[in-house]
C-alpha cells in the first residue's frame, strides 16, 4: 500500500493527465490540487496511468509513494513543487477485452479506492461522478465539480449522503441544472475559476523582450488572446477584427498544432498579415510576461449556449496581469462590468464593434509597465488558493484535511 503516515491526504482525482495542449479540464484539476498544496495541505493528484499497464501484481499491491512533479510537468502546468502526484498503474490487459469489469474506472473505484485511497484520505475532490459514488459509499467526505449542464438524474442515496459534502459549478445556469436533476440546493454552489500565483509576479524585463520580438513593421500596440482555438471562443471573430486594424499587432496563443495551422491558413486566405500564432507556450510561466507585455488582453467569446456556462481561467489570469481587458458581454462575466477592473465591454459576435472597442481602450487606458493597480488588487480574491479555501469552508472542520506546514 501507499506508505502514508496518517489519514490526512487531500486527494484530487482526475481521469486524464497528459502533457498535451487543449487540456482545459486537466489544467483545472492540476491547478486546484496545486493550490491546496500551496496552502499547506498534503495534496495528492491521482490519475490512472493508461500508458503503463502491468502484469506484475506486486506493482498493484505495493504502490510507489506520491512524488513531486518533474520539470516537464512543472513547465507545462506552471505549478510549484509542493504538489505530489500519484499514478495508478493499470493491470494488463485493461480496456483490451471489453466489458464493465475490464476498464479503468472499474479498477480505480472497485480496487484502488477502497484498498489504497480510503485508508489514507481525509477528503477527495473530483469531477468524475463514478469516483464520487464510490467515495461516498466508502464513507469518504467528497467534493464534486460539475462544469456542464447535467443530463441525467443524480442517485438520491449519493447526493443526500452525509459524506457528499458539496458540488461546485461555474455558473448559476449550471447550478440550476444540477438542482433540476436531483442535487439538493443547499449542496451546490457556483464559484469562479482562478489564477495561478505566478501571475502576481511582475516581469518587466521579460515583457519588454516580448514587445521587441512581436511588434514588427513599425506597429506600436500589441493585443493578445490566450486560450483554446475554437470558433465559439471568438477566435474567428478576433481575426476579422484584426483585419480592420492593420496597424495593430495581434498575437494568439494556445491550441493544438493542427488548430494553429488551420487558423494560420485562414488568416492567409483573408490576407491578414498582423496576426501571429504562437501555439502552446512553454514553459507555461512565460504567459505571465506575455500578458504584461500586451497593451490589451482580449476575451472575444461568442454568444450562445456555451457562453452561459463558461468561466474562463484566462479571464482571471488577465485580471492578475493588470493589463487592460477587452471582453464581450457574456452572462458569467456581467458582474464584472461594475467592478474596478480596467476593462472595456462590447456586444459579442460583431468584429467591427470589437475592433472599435479595442481602439477605444487603447486611447483610454495606455499601457503601464507596472500594470493597473485596480485590476491587480481586485484580482487577488480570485486566486486558486482562495477558491480552495471557500470550498473547504463547506466541510465541517473535523473532516477537513489538516494543514501540514
Amino acid at each position: 500500500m501507499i506508505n502514508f503516515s496518517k489519514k490526512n491526504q487531500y486527494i484530487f482525482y482526475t481521469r486524464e493527465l497528459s502533457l498535451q495542449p487543449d487540456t482545459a479540464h486537466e489544467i483545472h484539476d492540476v491547478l486546484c490540487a496545486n493550490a491546496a498544496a500551496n496552502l499547506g495541505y498534503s495534496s495528492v493528484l491521482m490519475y490512472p496511468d493508461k500508458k503503463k499497464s502491468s502484469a506484475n501484481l506486486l506493482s498493484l499491491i505495493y504502490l510507489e509513494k506520491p512524488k513531486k512533479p518533474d520539470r516537464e510537468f512543472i513547465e507545462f502546468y506552471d505549478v510549484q513543487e509542493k504538489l505530489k502526484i500519484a499514478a495508478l498503474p493499470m493491470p494488463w490487459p485493461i480496456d483490451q477485452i471489453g466489458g464493465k469489469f475490464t476498464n479503468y474506472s472499474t479498477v480505480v473505484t472497485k480496487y484502488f479506492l477502497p484498498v489504497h485511497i480510503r485508508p489514507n484520505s481525509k477528503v477527495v475532490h473530483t469531477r468524475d461522478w463514478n469516483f464520487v459514488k464510490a467515495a461516498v459509499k466508502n464513507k469518504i467526505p467528497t467534493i464534486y465539480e460539475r462544469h456542464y449542464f447535467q443530463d441525467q438524474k443524480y442517485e438520491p442515496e449519493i447526493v443526500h449522503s452525509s459524506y457528499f459534502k458539496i458540488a461546485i459549478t461555474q455558473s448559476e445556469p449550471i447550478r440550476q441544472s444540477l438542482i433540476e436533476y436531483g442535487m439538493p440546493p443547499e449542496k451546490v454552489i457556483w464559484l469562479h475559476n482562478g489564477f495561478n500565483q505566478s501571475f502576481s509576479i511582475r516581469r518587466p524585463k521579460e515583457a519588454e523582450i516580448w514587445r521587441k520580438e512581436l511588434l514588427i513593421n513599425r506597429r506600436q500596440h500589441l493585443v493578445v488572446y490566450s486560450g483554446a482555438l475554437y470558433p465559439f471562443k471568438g477566435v474567428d471573430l478576433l481575426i476579422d477584427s484584426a483585419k480592420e486594424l492593420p496597424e495593430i499587432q495581434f498575437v494568439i496563443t494556445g491550441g493544438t498544432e493542427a488548430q494553429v495551422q488551420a487558423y494560420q491558413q485562414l488568416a492567409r486566405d483573408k490576407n491578414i498579415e498582423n496576426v501571429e500564432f504562437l501555439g502552446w507556450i512553454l514553459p507555461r510561466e512565460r504567459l505571465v510576461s506575455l500578458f504584461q507585455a500586451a497593451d490589451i488582453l482580449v476575451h472575444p467569446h461568442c454568444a450562445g449556449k456555451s457562453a452561459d456556462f463558461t468561466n474562463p481561467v484566462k479571464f482571471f489570469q488577465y485580471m492578475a496581469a493588470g493589463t487592460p481587458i477587452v471582453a464581450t458581454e457574456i452572462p458569467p462575466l456581467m458582474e464584472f462590468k461594475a467592478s474596478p477592473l480596467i476593462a472595456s465591454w462590447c456586444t459579442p459576435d460583431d468584429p467591427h464593434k470589437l475592433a472599435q472597442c479595442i481602439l477605444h481602450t487603447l486611447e483610454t487606458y495606455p499601457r503601464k509597465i507596472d500594470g493597473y493597480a485596480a485590476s491587480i488588487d481586485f484580482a487577488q480574491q480570485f486566486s486558486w488558493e482562495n477558491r480552495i479555501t471557500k470550498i473547504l469552508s463547506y466541510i465541517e472542520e473535523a473532516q477537513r484535511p489538516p494543514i501540514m506546514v
Side-chain angles (χ1 to χ4, degrees):
M1 293 179 64
I2 301 175
N3 187 23
F4 294 148
S5 58
K6 295 180 180 179
K7 185 178 179 179
N8 57 19
Q9 306 296 309
Y10 188 170
I11 302 293
F12 291 81
Y13 175 74
T14 184
R15 285 178 294 184
E16 302 284 345
L17 194 62
S18 68
L19 298 179
Q20 298 295 325
D22 197 30
T23 53
H25 301 315
E26 297 170 34
I27 291 171
H28 175 276
D29 295 347
V30 170
L31 294 182
C32 282
N34 180 65
N38 287 342
L39 288 169
Y41 297 106
S42 184
S43 176
V44 180
L45 179 67
M46 290 188 173
Y47 69 99
D49 192 342
K50 300 178 182 179
K51 293 182 179 180
K52 293 182 180 179
S53 60
S54 176
N56 182 2
L57 292 180
L58 288 178
S59 68
L60 305 178
I61 297 172
Y62 300 100
L63 297 183
E64 294 182 1
K65 290 183 180 180
K67 57 186 180 182
K68 292 182 178 181
D70 60 24
R71 177 53 53 185
E72 185 180 13
F73 186 96
I74 290 173
E75 291 184 351
F76 186 88
Y77 286 107
D78 188 21
V79 299
Q80 289 68 56
E81 295 184 359
K82 293 181 179 180
L83 175 66
K84 298 293 194 305
I85 301 173
L88 303 177
M90 293 292 109
W92 186 88
I94 282 297
D95 275 2
Q96 295 186 27
I97 298 175
K100 67 178 181 178
F101 298 110
T102 55
N103 60 60
Y104 298 114
S105 181
T106 299
V107 173
V108 170
T109 58
K110 300 297 185 183
Y111 172 66
F112 282 112
L113 195 149
V115 175
H116 291 291
I117 298 175
R118 181 176 63 179
N120 303 298
S121 62
K122 189 72 172 179
V123 64
V124 297
H125 190 148
T126 185
R127 291 186 298 110
D128 186 310
W129 182 246
N130 285 336
F131 192 90
V132 167
K133 292 190 292 184
V136 168
K137 290 175 182 178
N138 279 275
K139 299 182 178 181
I140 306 172
T142 302
I143 299 165
Y144 173 51
E145 297 236 14
R146 174 72 183 183
H147 299 170
Y148 294 99
F149 289 102
Q150 182 63 10
D151 55 7
Q152 57 185 348
K153 288 289 184 181
Y154 285 112
E155 295 90 333
E157 67 274 16
I158 299 298
V159 296
H160 290 284
S161 168
S162 62
Y163 291 97
F164 184 89
K165 294 302 178 182
I166 197 72
I168 314 298
T169 74
Q170 295 182 327
S171 71
E172 183 59 25
I174 300 298
R175 179 179 179 273
Q176 291 300 324
S177 171
L178 270 60
I179 294 171
E180 178 184 352
Y181 282 89
M183 189 71 68
E186 69 276 10
K187 284 192 174 186
V188 56
I189 62 171
W190 76 269
L191 293 174
H192 288 297
N193 281 318
F195 68 89
N196 205 358
Q197 289 300 323
S198 60
F199 284 87
S200 295
I201 301 172
R202 302 307 300 178
R203 302 180 185 273
K205 292 182 179 179
E206 294 90 338
E208 188 59 30
I209 292 172
W210 276 118
R211 289 183 70 84
K212 289 179 180 179
E213 176 184 336
L214 297 171
L215 287 172
I216 58 176
N217 297 328
R218 298 183 179 180
R219 297 185 184 112
Q220 300 297 314
H221 297 297
L222 181 63
V223 174
V224 172
Y225 166 87
S226 178
L229 301 189
Y230 295 105
F232 71 88
K233 294 287 188 179
V235 181
D236 299 65
L237 179 81
L238 184 60
I239 291 172
D240 288 340
S241 296
K243 189 171 185 177
E244 293 191 30
L245 304 170
E247 73 283 2
I248 296 173
Q249 181 65 53
F250 287 75
V251 168
I252 295 175
T253 80
T256 64
E257 184 176 348
Q259 289 172 327
V260 169
Q261 291 177 357
Y263 272 112
Q264 285 174 329
Q265 186 59 52
L266 177 64
R268 286 193 293 267
D269 292 344
K270 294 187 174 186
N271 296 315
I272 301 173
E273 299 179 351
N274 61 324
V275 179
E276 182 169 352
F277 295 86
L278 299 183
W280 192 265
I281 293 176
L282 291 174
R284 203 65 182 151
E285 67 175 12
R286 293 182 66 216
L287 273 181
V288 177
S289 54
L290 176 60
F291 287 4
Q292 294 173 13
D295 293 273
I296 288 175
L297 296 170
V298 63
H299 187 279
H301 203 290
C302 296
K305 188 175 182 180
S306 63
D308 292 337
F309 64 81
T310 186
N311 202 280
V313 171
K314 62 175 169 284
F315 189 77
F316 303 97
Q317 294 172 341
Y318 285 4
M319 279 189 200
T323 301
I325 299 170
V326 167
T328 50
E329 297 171 329
I330 58 174
L333 302 184
M334 284 302 88
E335 67 179 87
F336 296 111
K337 285 190 71 173
S339 76
L341 272 181
I342 304 301
S344 299
W345 302 84
C346 63
T347 56
D349 305 320
D350 189 327
H352 177 69
K353 288 185 178 179
L354 179 60
Q356 293 303 305
C357 192
I358 289 172
L359 286 176
H360 170 76
T361 305
L362 288 173
E363 295 171 356
T364 308
Y365 304 114
R367 178 174 178 265
K368 292 184 178 181
I369 293 176
D370 293 328
Y372 280 83
S375 290
I376 295 171
D377 293 343
F378 181 75
Q380 299 313 303
Q381 63 187 299
F382 298 108
S383 69
W384 286 110
E385 286 77 10
N386 280 347
R387 188 177 189 272
I388 289 294
T389 298
K390 289 177 182 177
I391 291 171
L392 289 178
S393 72
Y394 289 90
I395 297 179
E396 298 89 335
E397 187 172 354
Q399 292 185 323
R400 296 176 200 165
I403 294 178
M404 308 302 292
V405 292

